[in-house]
Amino acid sequence: MAFKSTNLKERVDTVQEHWHPQHILTLNSSHSIKVASIKGDFVWHSHPDTDELFYCVSGGPFRIELCTSATSPQEAETKGPDETVNLRIGDVFCVPKAMQHRPMADVETGIMLIEKVGTVNTGERERDERTKDVPESAGK
């Protein structure tokens, strides 16, 4: 068995579509490490059973809007953000489980995500065109 490292910047540069995370490895059989290219705004959503870690790899900055008082994506859309976290290259932020959030990037930005295996990028929202996660078995 040959061991090999992964360069996050190089992997992000291979992602062709915005908002379509690509699985790169699994940690402890429980967490998926993914990279994505983002630009524009994403949908309000939460992950009821898991935290979600964001790391800014390239481009940026980008921001994550948080609606701490909402219990659904629809409520977050109506209320808007209570707080905004800005991330530059090298910055990391963990969105707590069940927190309504929406990542946004004015310019193309490469990110790394860490979340439980099987987590869908739109969380509890009904699936839409932005739920094209690559399965955890890919990219190994």
Side-chain angles (χ1 to χ4, degrees):
M1 175 181 219
F3 293 97
K4 184 175 130 180
S5 65
T6 298
N7 182 285
L8 291 176
K9 170 81 171 72
E10 290 173 4
R11 281 302 295 265
V12 164
D13 289 345
T14 68
V15 178
Q16 300 297 310
E17 295 180 79
H18 298 131
W19 305 110
H20 295 275
Q22 304 292 307
H23 175 81
I24 59 173
L25 60 95
T26 302
L27 180 66
N28 292 324
S29 302
S30 63
H31 285 78
S32 178
I33 313 300
K34 300 175 182 178
V35 293
S37 177
I38 64 173
K39 185 176 180 183
D41 60 329
F42 200 54
V43 295
W44 282 103
H45 68 284
S46 71
H47 304 283
D49 301 317
T50 185
D51 296 338
E52 184 175 31
L53 184 134
F54 289 84
Y55 174 75
C56 186
V57 174
S58 62
F62 79 102
R63 61 193 177 280
I64 302 173
E65 293 184 338
L66 304 169
C67 190
T68 59
S69 59
T71 58
S72 71
Q74 296 77 17
E75 189 178 3
E77 287 171 5
T78 301
K79 289 183 172 186
D82 298 317
E83 295 186 45
T84 301
V85 177
N86 295 294
L87 289 92
R88 300 165 298 157
I89 294 174
D91 289 346
V92 63
F93 177 73
C94 184
V95 176
K97 71 179 176 181
M99 173 76 60
Q100 292 295 327
H101 62 284
R102 176 172 73 165
M104 306 175 81
D106 295 328
V107 298
E108 188 168 61
T109 302
I111 64 171
M112 179 186 74
L113 302 156
I114 301 176
E115 54 201 9
K116 281 185 183 174
V117 166
T119 299
V120 177
N121 63 341
T122 53
E124 86 288 18
R125 285 189 78 102
E126 197 170 302
R127 290 185 170 270
D128 70 10
E129 72 278 359
R130 290 176 277 197
T131 57
K132 295 181 182 173
D133 279 350
V134 171
E136 279 79 14
S137 60
K140 286 186 178 181

